Structures are given as structure tokens and as C-alpha cells.
Amino acid sequence: MTANHMLFAEHAYLPEGWRRNVLLEWDDAGVLRAVTPDSVPLANVARATGPVMPGMPNLHSHAFQRAMAGLAEYRANATDNFWSWRDLMYRFAARITPEGLGAIARWLYIEMLKAGYTSVCEFHYVHHAADGSRYANAAELAGRVVDAAASTGIGMTMLPVLYQYSGFGARAPREDQRRFINTPQGLLELLAALRHARPEHAALRYGVAPHSLRAVSEASLRALLAGLDDAVSNTASPIHIHIAEQTGEVDDCLATTGARPVQWLLDRFDVDARWCLVHATHIDAAETAALAKSGAVAGLCLTTEANLGDGIFPAHAYLEAQGRFGVGSDSHIGVDWRAELRLLEYGQRLARRQRNVLASDAHSHVADRLFDAALAGGAQATGRATGALQAGCRADWLVLDPDHPSLAEHAPDKWLSGIVFCEHGETPVRDVYAGGRRVVEARRHADEDTAYAAYRAVVADLLA
Ligand code: NGQ
Ligand code: ZN
């Protein structure tokens, strides 16, 4: 262990809370080897410039959608909703090129790192050329995304998406879904090709994502899961699915199967800690209890869910039932886990006309409870060891600016509250380490200027 793999922090947020004089030590693979509170600062060890806390996993991303953020905020017809947004989004997806996707993802992942997301689960479903024909390399587009992540330093869980149908009852796909369509076998081959080209390592995991119960059948979901463990040579690889985002899909699911989506899935599949149910927005009391009991993670994407008019997840009941969750930036209308946690609490406050709804007996401070839960649930959803400052986890952390007005002069037990609930000026996240490398220093990523120039050129092309 050499001194450039050590950092001394006067304050660090460990699993038990804020501790003083913490020595962090990590290895060449970017994995924490020792975390020692109450240590004595050594002269040759670098000192963190502020409080250190774990980086947040981002459990849900569609990278290409970053380039349309802010472009669908106008009324096109009087009943604009999720489905009319989706039509616009499909038109955008139709124009994405391999180079363009790589440039968008690279800029997006730099934005994520600067916001304090140190890993991301990419729910990747644009697989084919614009006319629906296959690229020579089936994993052409997925590979661009993996490479973008590697070039920025963010940890990645790549989840190639199985998309087959346009609706419940195995309805034929729409013309504008042609870039997404695969059979289970084809998707597993894509995954195998990708893994072969880019072998898994500590910063990279693979899993799969059946897009939604609308887009697969029971039989194809079984075929996908049966082939998964062979394809990734890992029996704990993550499985993510969009589950119950819109009341319209809950109604369709009820009409065709007789069950609500979450209930349908729990009744038929061994939903456990491998699973992440993204947008479990519309769940009744029985589903809330059963989902919490399953050990799966509810993937909550509060800013996107608000932007798309999805509805409000029953967070209070779910957390009371010990349900696990993490947060994602999904459509990237915002890229900041602090906003996701804030909105999680604010939805409950607005609906219940109360304050501090998501605090608990064990956690009187809302932000601390939500931060701890989102770290644990987010890490679980990535299938990677991250989300805590402890030996064996990735060396993923943030260094806060101690002079930021949201923290300065506050006692440590108020720091997370200030970080999550105050919205004043620039981010309090000053430096970011991912896999033991300082990838953001003084709020800048080393490649941000070139990445932004390339991103702008792609946006210009897309809008031309
Ligand atoms: C997606 N996004 O796959 O990008 C979806 C919309 C769908 C969100 N749900 C498309 N936020 O669900 O069919
Ligand atoms: Zn999504």
C-alpha cells in the first residue's frame, strides 16, 4: 500500500455515521482495503479538503435522453401526457447514431460524476440501426455506452434491454420501436458479444432489463432469465424492469391478466434482491407489503416521474414496511441525487400536509435516512460492492466543500440535511473519487471541456 492510495479525512460518513480522523486506504484495483477512524494523521498522507461521504449509485439511466432534456416542455395538444412525450422521445431515438450516443453518454456521465453519482445502471434499449437493420456488431451501441463510462471513470452496470412487444397480450411492436426489438436469444447473444469485447472488471457489471411487462411475455421473460446466468457467468447479476409507472399500464395489465403489474410479477417469478423494479409508482397496500418483503429494490426516479406526470409512489408505507429503494435520473431532466431525495420527501409532504414524513424512530433526520437507504438500495441494484466507506467496497466517495453556505457553521449531524434540502448556488460536492481515482477536482472533470464540445456538436446535429 503506497501513500498515494491513502487519504486522511477529518470527518467521514461511515456506516455508523460521521466519524473523526478517518484514514482511507485502497488498492490498485480501486477497492477500499481499510477504513480507520480515530487515526493519527501521517505527514505523507494527503488530507481531504472537506468532509468525505460515499458516492451515490444512479440506478436508472437512458443516456440518449439527456440530449432532449428541456425540449419537450411545451403543449403540443391539450392532453399532453406520458404517452405523447414518449412519441416525441421515439422521434429523438430514431436519430441517434453510434458516435452521437457515445458523445452524449460521455458528457452525461461527467455531469453525473460532478453531481456525486459514482456509478450508473444503464437501461440500454436502442440496439439497432435507424431502419431497424442489425449493425454488424450486435453490441455496437451498447459498447459505445460502456466505453463512455470507462473513459469518464464512472462505475457501470450495463443492462441491455429486451423489448419485443408494444403492449400486453404480445401485441406486435410499432414501427417506431424497430431499433429496440430483439428475441430473448438475440439479446443474450448481444450480451455475450459485449462481454467478450469488454470483459467484466470491478468497475463494470452486466445484467439484463426486460423493458416492462408491456414489452415482454411471460414465456420470453422466463427464457431470458434462464439464459442470463450463463451469459454473464454470475448468478447474482441484476435484473431491472419498468413495472407500474402509469395508471394506463396498470389498467391494461389488469384487463389482460387479471392482476396488477407488481402482483403479477411477484406471483410468477422469484423476485428477490437481484431485482430492481423501476417506477413501482402504482402499487396498492398488498403490493407495497409484498414488494418490501421480497428484498427487491424499488427504483425511484422522482424528477422524471414528476416531469412525466406519473404519480406519487407510496414512500411512507413502503419505508414503514422496510422496503428498499434507490434513485435514478432516468430521462435526465435533472442529474442530481439530492433533488431526487428532496422530491421523494416533498411528494409526501404535499400529499399529506405534514413535515418530515420519511423520518423514523431510528433516524430523526429525513435526509440521513433517505441517504443511507438510497446508498444501500442503489448499491444493491448495481450488483457491485459500493455505497459505503468500508473495506471491500469500491473507493467511491465525495469530498464536500466545508465553506459552502449549506454546511458552514452547522454541526455534522445537520450536514446531510443542508446538502439535500438547501438549494443555494453551486453544489457542495467539491471533489469526487471513483474507483480510487479523483475524477472531479474543485468541481471540474479533467475532460469536461472536450466532452462538452463534442456533446454540443451532437445536439446541433440532432436538432438540425
Ligand atoms: C423509456 N421512460 O423506456 O425510456 C421509458 C418510456 C416506455 C420512462 N418510463 C418508454 N421514464 O415506458 O414505454
Ligand atoms: Zn426508464
Side-chain angles (χ1 to χ4, degrees):
M1 203 109 41
T2 57
N4 61 356
H5 285 119
M6 291 182 174
L7 186 70
F8 178 83
E10 226 173 285
H11 297 271
Y13 193 74
L14 306 194
E16 69 269 26
W18 287 107
R19 298 293 304 266
R20 298 296 307 264
N21 301 326
V22 177
L23 181 65
L24 301 161
E25 300 171 71
W26 63 100
D27 64 18
D28 287 336
V31 176
L32 275 166
R33 285 296 153 216
V35 178
T36 316
D38 306 317
S39 60
V40 180
L42 303 169
N44 62 333
V45 171
R47 280 171 167 263
T49 53
V52 171
M53 57 186 226
M56 182 62 70
N58 185 342
L59 60 58
H60 195 64
S61 165
H62 308 292
F64 76 90
Q65 291 175 15
R66 171 63 186 89
M68 69 172 280
L71 296 175
E73 308 301 321
Y74 60 93
R75 179 182 287 184
N77 58 66
T79 57
D80 270 340
N81 61 16
F82 174 89
W83 305 103
S84 60
W85 168 84
R86 194 177 76 157
D87 289 341
L88 288 178
M89 185 271 282
Y90 281 1
R91 271 188 251 159
F92 205 77
R95 307 198 55 176
I96 297 293
T97 63
E99 298 72 26
L101 178 61
I104 295 167
R106 184 165 152 78
W107 169 245
L108 170 65
Y109 296 154
I110 288 174
E111 289 183 312
M112 285 186 193
L113 286 167
K114 291 173 69 170
Y117 284 122
T118 44
S119 53
V120 58
C121 300
E122 185 65 31
F123 199 106
H124 171 78
Y125 63 89
V126 184
H127 297 301
H128 310 307
D131 62 0
S133 64
R134 292 345 196 204
Y135 289 109
N137 167 13
E140 173 70 47
L141 289 169
R144 302 285 178 150
V145 175
V146 170
D147 291 347
S151 79
T152 64
I154 200 166
M156 156 146 296
T157 301
M158 166 48 74
L159 305 159
V161 171
L162 177 63
Y163 206 110
Q164 288 181 283
Y165 305 115
S166 68
F168 288 96
R171 284 217 306 272
R174 291 168 29 161
E175 191 60 19
D176 55 6
Q177 295 169 332
R178 62 184 174 249
R179 299 192 76 174
F180 320 154
I181 304 302
N182 281 297
T183 61
Q185 193 51 40
L187 199 272
L188 290 168
E189 283 164 18
L190 186 159
L191 183 55
L194 187 59
R195 277 197 67 238
H196 183 72
R198 292 161 182 84
E200 203 161 329
H201 50 80
L204 180 59
R205 281 282 176 285
Y206 294 101
V208 288
H211 180 274
S212 51
L213 295 183
R214 295 177 259 128
V216 298
S217 65
E218 181 172 353
S220 68
L221 183 49
R222 287 203 192 288
L224 178 69
L225 299 181
L228 171 63
D229 295 336
D230 292 339
V232 297
S233 64
N234 180 349
T235 53
S237 55
I239 306 159
H240 290 216
I241 184 169
H242 293 131
I243 193 69
E245 182 171 14
Q246 284 283 314
T247 54
E249 70 186 321
V250 175
D251 295 344
D252 283 354
C253 188
L254 266 168
T256 45
T257 72
R260 302 167 59 84
V262 169
Q263 197 65 58
W264 186 94
L265 187 71
L266 293 174
D267 286 346
R268 281 165 189 78
F269 290 86
D270 293 326
V271 175
D272 59 12
R274 293 176 80 169
W275 288 74
C276 176
L277 274 55
V278 183
H279 313 304
T281 314
H282 297 290
I283 47 177
D284 66 17
E287 289 174 303
T288 303
L291 179 57
K293 200 161 161 251
S294 74
V297 176
L300 307 179
C301 308
L302 293 302
T303 55
T304 293
E305 290 158 7
N307 184 267
L308 298 180
D310 289 343
I312 299 179
F313 174 76
H316 181 260
Y318 183 72
L319 291 191
E320 288 296 291
Q322 318 291 328
R324 302 179 192 183
F325 78 91
V327 295
S329 60
D330 189 356
S331 70
H332 315 300
I333 188 68
V335 179
D336 189 344
W337 55 267
R338 302 177 304 140
E340 304 300 334
L341 296 183
R342 191 187 309 135
L343 195 48
L344 181 58
E345 166 71 14
Y346 281 174
Q348 300 296 303
R349 291 191 191 187
L350 290 164
R352 301 163 72 101
R353 301 191 296 276
Q354 289 175 3
R355 298 192 74 251
N356 301 321
V357 178
L358 299 179
S360 69
D361 291 346
H363 274 102
S364 57
H365 287 70
V366 176
D368 298 54
R369 184 185 192 197
L370 297 184
F371 183 69
D372 288 359
L375 284 176
Q380 182 178 316
T382 68
R384 303 166 65 246
T386 182
L389 297 179
Q390 64 186 24
C393 278
R394 292 283 290 168
D396 293 344
W397 62 75
L398 321 178
V399 182
L400 302 172
D401 174 358
D403 301 316
H404 192 282
S406 300
L407 281 88
E409 309 305 331
H410 294 186
D413 72 337
K414 296 288 184 291
W415 284 346
L416 273 161
S417 302
I419 293 162
V420 171
F421 286 102
C422 296
E423 301 180 62
H424 307 108
E426 62 188 354
T427 174
V429 175
R430 187 184 179 281
D431 299 343
V432 179
Y433 288 68
R437 277 176 51 217
R438 183 163 57 186
V439 291
V440 172
E441 188 173 356
R443 299 189 177 83
R444 283 189 58 81
H445 187 285
D447 299 333
E448 68 178 65
D449 293 339
T450 51
Y452 184 56
Y455 170 78
R456 267 184 87 145
V458 171
V459 173
D461 274 356
L462 285 168
L463 300 184

